[in-house]
Structures are given as structure tokens and as C-alpha cells.
Amino acid sequence: MPNSNAKFNCNHRGGQEAGRRELVSRSLQSAQHCLEDQDFGTAYAHYLLVLNLAPELKTSVKETFQFTLFKWAEELDSLSRIQDLFNCYEQALELYPNDEVICNSMGEHLFRMGFRDEAAGYFHKAVKLNPDFADAKENFYRVANWLVERWHFIMLNDAKRNLTYLKAIENAVRSGCKSVLDIGTGTGILSMFAKKAGASFVYACELSKTMYELARDVVAANNMERDIKLLHLKSLDIEIPKHIPERVSLVVTETVDAGLFGEGIVESLIHAWEHLLLQPK
């Protein structure tokens, strides 16, 4: 009986495998026929089935799958079926999470729909995956021009202003402030000042996805990615110990232009004082 059961199980598994191969083969044929008929939605569904049943085919069908996805996404966009479009891209990125072409295409749709911050995130990921991907680089620079306010460049080139901030942070750290929170870090310059001044723990939060990614690049370029913890969060949403382990001894921010009211910096500073900053004894 044991030998009989083993033989049955072996035959059953063999039958399942043969059935899988047959279904994959038929689905590939159906997908091809649908493409010839320009029925991109049905072709896309067939490819999803194939890739879920036979992940070993990911490489061989990748380009055709991309073509099908992009054509189907164009139709969904023209029909204003935006949620269906996003669902398709999410499915595609689950199958190909490190595909720069799909990331770039997703970013292009988001940008056209006005979601520029989210688009920048996908363009940035595409460039990270393939630094030589010209389309993604052009898209990222284009959306960055929309999202990075011009005053960032003015401030970064204001040597007197930056030196004043540097000296103030150095004085605070030397007087005993060893943990620092930078609210609205932007490019990360104040966080780097704090770390260079000798702060033991530096945390920085930035709400804009584009500026958060930019800060990560700047911090990494200065070899401080292990020394500064960057949070893609609004300061009002920072929780202890979920995001930072304990209250900090110094809060810094450079949001002192019209954003003093427009960006809610007053509320942020009140929140930092009450919940994130060590209270004087």
C-alpha cells in the first residue's frame, strides 16, 4: 500500500504539472492573438495569469508584457479609469519590482494627472535602478523643476546665512545638546551641520517626497547616511518611540520665510516643544 500511495502521489503531481504547462501555453497563445486584435485588456489578463503560474518566464516575456501594459494603460487613461490603471501598474510592479521602464511609465501617468510629488518618486527609483536611463533622468529633472522651490538654491548659496546657522548649531551642541531633530530638512544641510558639530543622534523629517529623496542623496553623498535618520513624515506625525527613540535636546528648522504660516511651522514647533523636545528642569 505505501508504494501504491507514493505512485499515486507522483502521478498526481505529474498530472498537475502537465496541466499547468498546458494552461500556460494556451494563455500565451491567447495573449498573442489578443495583441494581434489589439485587445490589450484581455492580453494583459492572460499575461498576468502566465506570470503567476510560470514565474520562470518573467525574463522571456518581459518586453511583450511591458508593451501590453503600456497599451492597456493608455486605453484606461483615455476612458478615465484611473483606479484600474493604477491597479495594473501595482500588479506589474509586484511582478517586476525593479523594472525601471515600468517605474518610469507609472511616473509619467502620475505626472500627467497632477501627482507630481508621487511621480518624482517613481522617476527617482527608475534612475536609481538604471542611472543611464535617459528618459527617466529627463523626467526626474523636469518634475524636480516643478517641486523644488527656487528659494532652496538662493538659501544654499547664501554663505552668510548658512554660516550663522552653523555657528548657532555648533554652540548648541557644544553646550550639551547631543540629540537633534531637523524639521523640514529640505536638502539636509542643517542635519549635516549638527552631525559635523558632534551631535550623537540626528533625526530629520521632510514631508515632500521629492525633497526627502533629494536629502537622502545629499546625505549619502556626504557619507552620513548612517549618522542621520531621515523620516518621510510631517513633524506633527512623529511619535516616540515609533519614529525616534526619545525626546531630543535640540530642534532646528529653516522654514522662516512665508512658510512660517503657510507650512504650519508654528504648529510644528509647538508640537515639537510639547512632545519631542526635552523639557528644561
Side-chain angles (χ1 to χ4, degrees):
M1 288 296 291
N3 289 337
S4 177
N5 287 337
K7 184 176 181 180
F8 172 79
N9 289 333
C10 182
N11 290 337
H12 181 65
R13 286 194 296 271
Q16 284 184 322
E17 177 59 22
R20 182 187 74 91
R21 289 198 301 266
E22 177 66 19
L23 182 55
V24 168
S25 177
R26 289 185 178 181
S27 293
L28 283 172
Q29 291 176 8
S30 297
Q32 190 59 44
H33 292 151
C34 289
L35 287 178
E36 292 170 0
D37 295 336
Q38 297 189 345
D39 183 358
F40 299 114
T42 307
Y44 174 77
H46 280 300
Y47 277 118
L48 279 185
L49 178 61
V50 168
L51 290 168
N52 279 286
L53 287 175
E56 67 272 15
L57 297 179
K58 281 185 179 180
T59 301
S60 60
V61 304
K62 180 178 176 180
E63 290 188 7
T64 311
F65 174 75
Q66 288 175 342
F67 172 80
T68 306
L69 167 67
F70 301 156
K71 286 295 185 181
W72 179 225
E74 287 176 7
E75 284 192 24
L76 292 173
D77 193 8
S78 68
L79 296 169
S80 297
R81 292 171 56 181
I82 305 306
Q83 189 56 56
D84 289 334
L85 185 153
F86 287 152
N87 289 341
C88 286
Y89 273 96
E90 288 175 3
Q91 292 166 341
L93 287 170
E94 285 180 7
L95 293 166
Y96 296 96
N98 295 318
D99 188 285
E100 69 273 19
V101 178
I102 295 176
C103 286
N104 183 65
S105 180
M106 175 65 157
E108 289 176 338
H109 281 287
L110 286 165
F111 184 78
R112 283 196 294 270
M113 294 173 191
F115 301 108
R116 296 189 179 113
D117 207 24
E118 293 82 357
Y122 281 98
F123 294 145
H124 184 265
K125 182 178 179 180
V127 173
K128 283 287 189 181
L129 290 168
N130 182 0
D132 297 323
F133 189 6
D135 287 349
K137 286 198 291 187
E138 181 180 345
N139 284 332
F140 180 69
Y141 295 144
R142 178 161 55 106
V143 75
N145 284 330
W146 284 88
L147 294 172
V148 179
E149 299 288 349
R150 299 298 94 188
W151 50 261
H152 277 289
F153 302 102
I154 298 173
M155 287 164 54
L156 287 172
N157 286 283
D158 188 339
K160 183 177 180 180
R161 174 191 178 97
N162 293 335
L163 184 60
T164 300
Y165 269 103
L166 174 60
K167 288 182 176 179
I169 291 172
E170 285 178 341
N171 289 337
V173 172
R174 287 168 183 167
S175 68
C177 297
K178 295 300 183 181
S179 56
V180 180
L181 171 64
D182 180 6
I183 295 178
T185 191
T187 59
I189 188 171
L190 298 189
S191 296
M192 292 187 291
F193 283 170
K195 192 60 194 178
K196 287 182 177 179
S200 301
F201 306 99
V202 180
Y203 312 98
C205 63
E206 176 57 54
L207 181 59
S208 164
K209 177 68 172 175
T210 302
M211 294 308 300
Y212 166 75
E213 296 289 358
L214 178 60
R216 288 182 61 185
D217 287 346
V218 172
V219 168
N222 285 271
N223 299 314
M224 293 187 180
E225 63 268 34
R226 295 184 179 180
D227 302 317
I228 299 172
K229 182 176 181 180
L230 288 163
L231 303 168
H232 181 216
L233 283 173
K234 192 175 182 180
S235 63
L236 295 171
D237 296 330
I238 295 177
E239 299 177 16
I240 298 172
K242 182 178 179 181
H243 301 115
I244 60 177
E246 58 188 3
R247 288 173 179 257
V248 297
S249 51
L250 176 66
V251 171
V252 297
T253 184
E254 205 169 4
T255 316
V256 292
D257 60 353
L260 182 63
F261 301 102
E263 297 186 23
I265 194 63
V266 173
E267 292 83 355
S268 296
L269 291 175
I270 292 173
H271 175 76
W273 171 260
E274 293 178 344
H275 302 286
L276 306 176
L277 189 65
L278 286 171
Q279 301 297 314
K281 296 179 181 180

